[in-house]
């Protein structure tokens, strides 16, 4: 987070995860957040293995009983930190601007509600657990159980020092206090400046044409337009500032056949509506009206940036400035650095009974920002209940999910008080509708090795008419970062024989008909699997040039706290156990993953996996229905 200039570097051994208050039955009751009770504490987050928490959020009525959160690291018996709900933003290490509180509106007597949030990065080498001294539940006044944690898991603990609270975060806090200024270190730059010009309908203009290696450090723009008067009771038929839709930015790196970035002006600068100024540390609009984009954009042979007027009106600009440098070239080795790219722009449209797919990205890389705009049929209509759902690398279980649209940008109670902003997220619009939200993921990037699909519901369960539009920004390359090299189908005798599947302590086979969480929760799948209170073992094929192996298990999450030790060729994987603390007795299918470091797999074309059940909490067995085996790599394997 502190070194914004390193954002383009591709991630190795990193996955993003979500834990929070999602309605287990797929409705809108997203207000119960607890995994299990231990003594007098309610555990709300529990993971094994190295990782880092990047985002902690909890919504609570101030009149409700106040929870105290305890943070345990690396198996400690006593918490390293305790903090009350009202202390976020004031008590170290959870101090502003990296932690604060948002107070929502009164909402006809139901509110106000206090949303506390932390972006303090908290690494741990072995494990982490967060508890509350009261059960977080309910939506009525006096309760309030909404919340989430966004975190990374690491395949190894190499270079990880467990968070103490005494880390020197002054530079990061200083950066977050200077929203609107370039968050990267000052280096010598050159500038391509275009001033006082009019872009006529159907025309385009090249703002930058550069040969050789370098990186864009800033894209700055000033417009000669003002916001027209808005009829507040008029139907919502279009965007209030059409120029933010009709002017498109196109960027092409290294002579690629397809543009790397291509989107409307509003999406490029983080606000498609433009009612008010909003700005993050990455992109937005300053108080003086300057539009800015500070994401580093490396290239190795050429860079071209142009504007296109796709509308019917001529648009006047006061100034465009593109800053670029060669100073960062040593930081960006080709093959381990991603191009700055956008997903295909998702134009304003209403999906019928299914999630709006804002972006679908293929290849390998990591998401760093997303922007979504929504229009309901009339102004002021509540339109915030739809969850964001992100699927990564073909997993049927969402990897990231939010309890409402506004929760993805760390706010609560809808979008009632625009504009709202903090250095990492913001929204603009009119009260409740329309709204345009933007989220920066500078620490909690969303890595993917094959694909990333970003969707959002329309209403509580896709039961509302909403027109969504939006875009994703990411760093990526075309080549995928993992290959499916084997698959074991439990219950299929041929597959079990091929993989030398055997088990001890068997509790037998059983057949389950259930659905996954997310947009496919109305699709029921029947499969046969096995459960054991001892161990299971099987042999799988992998690529000898692997950079590690990822196992994906299809399992039944009827009970939580399923846990197993993992052995590879009789060697215990020391970095973590395979542990899933959450459960869902209603939507029972779960795709969960375990990443084996290359230390155990490099140079081998097959490995023997043994999973040894460990009793934890309510579980009585380890269940398994299918295993997919992926060999990880940085570049495509040659045949």
């Amino acid at each position: 987070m502190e070194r914004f200039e390193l954002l383009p570097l591709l991630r190795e051994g990193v996955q993003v995860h979500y834990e929070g208050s999602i309605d287990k039955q797929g409705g809108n009751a997203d207000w119960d957040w607890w995994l299990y009770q231990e003594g007098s504490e309610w555990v709300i987050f529990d993971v094994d293995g190295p990782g880092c928490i990047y985002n902690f959020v909890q919504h609570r009525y101030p009149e409700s009983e106040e929870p105290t959160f305890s943070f345990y690291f690396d198996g400690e018996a006593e918490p390293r930190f305790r903090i009350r709900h009202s202390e976020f933003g004031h008590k170290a290490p959870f101090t502003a601007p990296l932690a604060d509180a948002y107070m929502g509106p009164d909402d006809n007597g139901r509110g106000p509600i206090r949303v506390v949030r932390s972006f303090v990065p908290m690494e741990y080498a072995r494990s982490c657990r967060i508890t509350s001294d009261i059960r977080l539940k309910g939506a009525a006044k006096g309760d309030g159980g909404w919340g989430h944690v966004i975190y990374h898991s690491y395949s190894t603990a190499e270079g990880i020092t467990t968070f103490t609270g005494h880390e020197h975060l002054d530079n990061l806090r200083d950066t977050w206090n200077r929203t609107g200024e370039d968050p990267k270190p000052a280096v010598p730059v050159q500038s391509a400046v275009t001033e006082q010009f009019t872009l006529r309908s159907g025309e385009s203009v090249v703002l930058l044409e550069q040969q050789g290696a370098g990186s864009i450090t800033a894209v700055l723009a000033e417009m000669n337009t003002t916001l027209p008067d808005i009829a507040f009771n008029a139907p919502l038929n279009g965007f209030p500032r059409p120029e933010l839709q009709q002017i498109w930015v196109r960027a092409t790196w290294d002579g690629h056949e397809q543009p790397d970035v291509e989107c409307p002006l509003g999406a490029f600068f983080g606000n498609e509506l433009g009612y008010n100024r909003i700005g993050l540390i990455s992109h937005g609009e300053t108080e003086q009206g300057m539009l800015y984009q500070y994401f580093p954009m490396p290239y190795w042979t050429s860079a071209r940036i142009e504007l296109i007027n796709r509308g019917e009106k001529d648009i006047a600009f006061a100034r465009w400035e593109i800053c670029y440098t060669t100073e960062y070239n040593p930081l960006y080795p080709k093959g381990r650095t991603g191009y700055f790219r956008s997903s295909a722009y998702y134009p304003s449209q209403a999906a019928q009974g299914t999630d709006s797919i804002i972006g679908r990205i293929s290849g390998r890389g990591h998401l760093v920002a997303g922007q979504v705009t929504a229009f309901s049929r009339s102004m002021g209509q509540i339109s915030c209940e739809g969850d964001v759902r992100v699927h990564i690398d073909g997993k049927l279980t969402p990897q990231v999910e939010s309890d409402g649209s506004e929760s993805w940008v760390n706010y609560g109670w809808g979008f009632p008080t625009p504009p709202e902003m903090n250095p990492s997220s913001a929204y603009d619009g009119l009260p409740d509708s329309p709204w345009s939200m933007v989220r920066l993921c500078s620490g909690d990037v969303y890595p993917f090795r094959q694909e990333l699909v970003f969707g959002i519901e329309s209403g509580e369960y896709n039961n509302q008419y909403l027109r969504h539009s939006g875009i994703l920004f990411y760093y990526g390359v075309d080549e995928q970062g993992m290959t499916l090299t084997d698959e074991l189908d439990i219950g299929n005798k041929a597959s079990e024989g091929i993989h030398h599947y055997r088990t001890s302590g068997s509790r037998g086979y059983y057949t389950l008909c259930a659905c996954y969480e997310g947009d496919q929760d109305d699709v029921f799948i029947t499969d046969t699997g096995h459960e054991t209170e001892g161990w299971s073992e099987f042999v799988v094929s992998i690529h000898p040039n692997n950079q590690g192996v990822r196992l994906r298990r299809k399992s039944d999450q009827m009970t939580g706290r399923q846990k197993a030790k993992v052995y590879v060729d009789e060697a215990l994987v020391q970095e973590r156990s395979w542990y899933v603390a959450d459960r869902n007795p209603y939507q029972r299918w779960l795709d969960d993953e375990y990443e084996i470091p290359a230390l155990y797999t490099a140079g081998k074309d097959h490995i023997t996996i043994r999973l040894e059940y460990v009793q934890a909490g309510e579980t009585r067995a380890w269940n398994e229905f299918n295993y997919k085996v992926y060999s990880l790599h940085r570049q495509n394997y040659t045949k």
Side-chain angles (χ1 to χ4, degrees):
M1 288 177 67
E2 188 169 326
R3 298 195 61 185
F4 201 79
E5 73 276 14
L6 299 183
L7 211 49
L9 298 182
L10 298 174
R11 282 11 185 206
E12 293 292 340
V14 181
Q15 291 183 274
V16 67
H17 307 271
Y18 168 96
E19 182 62 67
S21 58
I22 296 300
D23 185 347
K24 301 298 187 182
Q25 299 187 61
N28 195 45
D30 296 324
W31 47 67
D32 291 332
W33 188 16
W34 55 276
L35 299 171
Y36 59 91
Q37 187 176 16
E38 189 166 84
S40 61
E41 296 179 292
W42 293 88
V43 179
I44 60 175
F45 179 75
D46 185 16
V47 295
D48 191 37
C52 183
I53 293 173
Y54 281 104
N55 185 213
F56 174 90
V57 176
Q58 209 279 310
H59 308 206
R60 190 80 175 166
Y61 294 102
E63 296 89 346
S64 304
E65 182 181 359
E66 184 177 22
T68 296
F69 301 106
S70 298
F71 290 74
Y72 298 81
F73 295 93
D74 295 347
E76 295 170 331
E78 293 296 322
R80 193 163 295 194
F81 308 107
R82 283 193 175 98
I83 182 169
R84 297 197 307 272
H85 198 271
S86 59
E87 293 177 324
F88 279 85
H90 310 289
K91 182 178 180 179
F94 303 100
T95 55
L98 296 177
D100 63 6
Y102 160 76
M103 191 66 73
D106 181 70
D107 191 41
N108 298 317
R110 286 186 66 192
I113 192 164
R114 181 169 55 218
V115 181
V116 300
R117 54 201 174 195
S118 168
F119 299 94
V120 176
M122 294 179 279
E123 288 188 324
Y124 43 91
R126 290 172 44 208
S127 64
C128 183
R129 190 162 53 97
I130 305 174
T131 69
S132 168
D133 63 340
I134 61 175
R135 182 178 172 185
L136 301 176
K137 64 176 182 64
K141 201 159 187 175
D143 289 317
W146 304 270
H148 70 250
V149 173
I150 303 291
Y151 66 103
H152 280 174
S153 64
Y154 303 142
S155 60
T156 75
E158 182 179 356
I160 301 301
T161 301
T162 298
F163 185 70
T164 66
H166 302 296
E167 286 77 6
H168 296 290
L169 299 177
D170 291 346
N171 289 340
L172 181 58
R173 288 191 171 92
D174 179 63
T175 298
W176 278 46
N177 277 322
R178 293 186 292 105
T179 298
E181 301 178 27
D182 192 341
K184 302 183 293 297
V187 296
V189 300
Q190 294 178 278
S191 295
V193 178
T194 308
E195 295 184 307
Q196 298 299 340
F197 67 98
T198 297
L199 190 59
R200 304 194 182 282
S201 173
E203 292 185 347
S204 63
V205 61
V206 176
L207 300 176
L208 175 75
E209 186 86 61
Q210 187 66 22
Q211 300 298 315
S215 63
I216 308 299
T217 62
V219 179
L220 310 173
E222 297 177 36
M223 303 183 68
N224 287 333
T225 58
T226 57
L227 179 66
D229 292 334
I230 302 296
F232 281 83
N233 294 320
L236 295 180
N237 295 320
F239 290 83
R241 295 183 64 178
E243 69 275 11
L244 297 180
Q245 284 291 304
Q246 74 177 65
I247 301 296
W248 281 55
V249 179
R250 178 187 293 161
T252 306
W253 319 125
D254 294 350
H256 293 154
E257 291 185 5
Q258 298 296 323
D260 292 273
V261 177
E262 190 169 31
C263 64
L265 194 68
F268 186 73
F269 290 111
N271 186 356
E272 291 195 273
L273 296 177
Y275 287 106
N276 303 281
R277 179 196 73 84
I278 58 174
L280 314 182
I281 61 173
S282 52
H283 57 312
E285 182 179 0
T286 67
E287 293 181 359
Q288 294 74 33
M290 182 184 72
L291 302 170
Y292 62 90
Q293 251 276 13
Y294 291 130
F295 282 112
M297 307 176 192
Y299 52 90
W300 287 269
T301 61
S302 65
R304 178 184 175 93
I305 299 178
E306 52 192 318
L307 290 183
I308 303 98
N309 188 340
R310 297 187 177 184
E312 298 179 354
K313 294 175 55 178
D314 299 344
I315 303 296
F317 293 94
R319 177 183 173 88
W320 277 79
E321 181 178 4
I322 315 294
C323 301
Y324 57 97
T325 186
T326 59
E327 294 293 319
Y328 289 141
N329 288 7
L331 297 180
Y332 303 141
K334 193 170 184 181
R336 298 196 177 188
T337 304
Y339 290 103
F340 181 74
R341 289 175 165 172
S342 69
S343 61
Y345 177 68
Y346 186 80
S348 186
Q349 58 189 289
Q352 300 295 320
T354 188
D355 288 6
S356 297
I357 304 303
I358 301 300
R360 188 183 300 272
I361 305 168
S362 61
R364 178 187 172 210
H366 50 275
L367 174 76
V368 293
Q371 191 268 329
V372 182
T373 300
F375 287 85
S376 59
R377 291 194 187 276
S378 59
M379 292 181 181
Q381 184 177 354
I382 300 297
S383 54
C384 64
E385 300 296 351
D387 297 346
V388 166
R389 299 194 277 221
V390 182
H391 293 264
I392 296 178
D393 295 337
K395 280 182 61 176
L396 296 181
T397 299
Q399 194 95 349
V400 176
E401 189 168 2
S402 71
D403 56 301
S405 305
E406 81 282 19
S407 292
W408 189 66
V409 288
N410 297 284
Y411 286 91
W413 232 240
F415 301 96
T417 54
E420 294 287 352
M421 71 189 87
N422 63 72
S424 188
S425 56
Y427 72 84
D428 185 27
L430 300 176
D432 293 316
S433 179
W435 49 262
S436 184
M437 67 175 182
V438 59
R439 170 77 151 88
L440 166 67
C441 305
S442 59
D444 54 340
V445 300
Y446 297 5
F448 58 92
R449 285 185 170 270
Q450 290 183 327
E451 68 169 5
L452 182 147
V453 180
F454 184 108
I456 185 170
E457 287 181 299
S458 296
E460 299 172 342
Y461 42 90
N462 282 320
N463 60 338
Q464 185 177 17
Y465 175 89
L466 288 178
R467 288 189 289 115
H468 286 118
S469 60
I471 201 157
L472 309 177
F473 292 119
Y474 67 101
Y475 289 96
V477 294
D478 294 335
E479 298 80 11
Q480 294 190 346
M482 69 181 191
T483 301
L484 179 67
T485 50
D486 211 340
E487 182 173 359
L488 166 60
D489 183 11
I490 308 295
N492 181 310
K493 296 306 178 184
S495 183
E496 290 184 3
I498 291 169
H499 295 91
H500 302 285
Y501 177 77
R502 63 194 187 103
T503 183
S504 175
S506 172
R507 290 171 59 94
Y509 289 82
Y510 70 102
T511 298
L512 173 65
C513 179
C515 64
Y516 281 90
E517 299 168 348
D519 194 22
Q520 299 298 311
D521 60 3
D522 57 348
V523 178
F524 285 83
I525 300 169
T526 301
D527 201 357
T528 297
H530 178 263
E531 59 180 358
T532 178
E533 56 188 11
W535 53 261
S536 63
E537 184 179 276
F538 47 91
V539 180
V540 294
S541 298
I542 60 176
H543 198 287
N545 293 333
N546 70 81
Q547 300 289 326
V549 169
R550 183 178 297 176
L551 302 178
R552 180 178 299 164
R553 176 181 66 139
K554 180 182 181 182
S555 65
D556 176 6
Q557 58 175 333
M558 176 68 180
T559 58
R561 306 189 71 186
Q562 291 191 43
K563 188 174 186 179
K565 294 180 181 179
V566 180
Y567 294 82
V568 177
D569 295 333
E570 299 185 348
L572 174 66
V573 179
Q574 300 284 346
E575 283 73 10
R576 60 163 39 86
S577 62
W578 195 332
Y579 179 53
V580 181
D582 208 349
R583 64 176 180 173
N584 190 334
Y586 306 102
Q587 300 174 350
R588 290 170 58 177
W589 286 129
L590 172 71
D591 281 356
D592 63 300
E593 295 181 329
Y594 185 91
E595 195 154 309
I596 303 172
L599 171 67
Y600 304 89
T601 63
K604 301 178 181 180
D605 62 6
H606 68 278
I607 52 176
T608 299
I609 301 291
R610 176 177 284 215
L611 302 171
E612 187 177 287
Y613 167 69
V614 178
Q615 197 280 325
E618 64 182 340
T619 63
R620 294 295 178 265
W622 176 264
N623 71 73
E624 49 199 8
F625 287 75
N626 181 280
Y627 289 100
K628 288 183 170 65
V629 183
Y630 295 90
S631 295
L632 309 182
H633 50 84
R634 293 194 181 101
Q635 297 177 338
N636 285 340
Y637 296 131
T638 56
K639 295 182 179 179

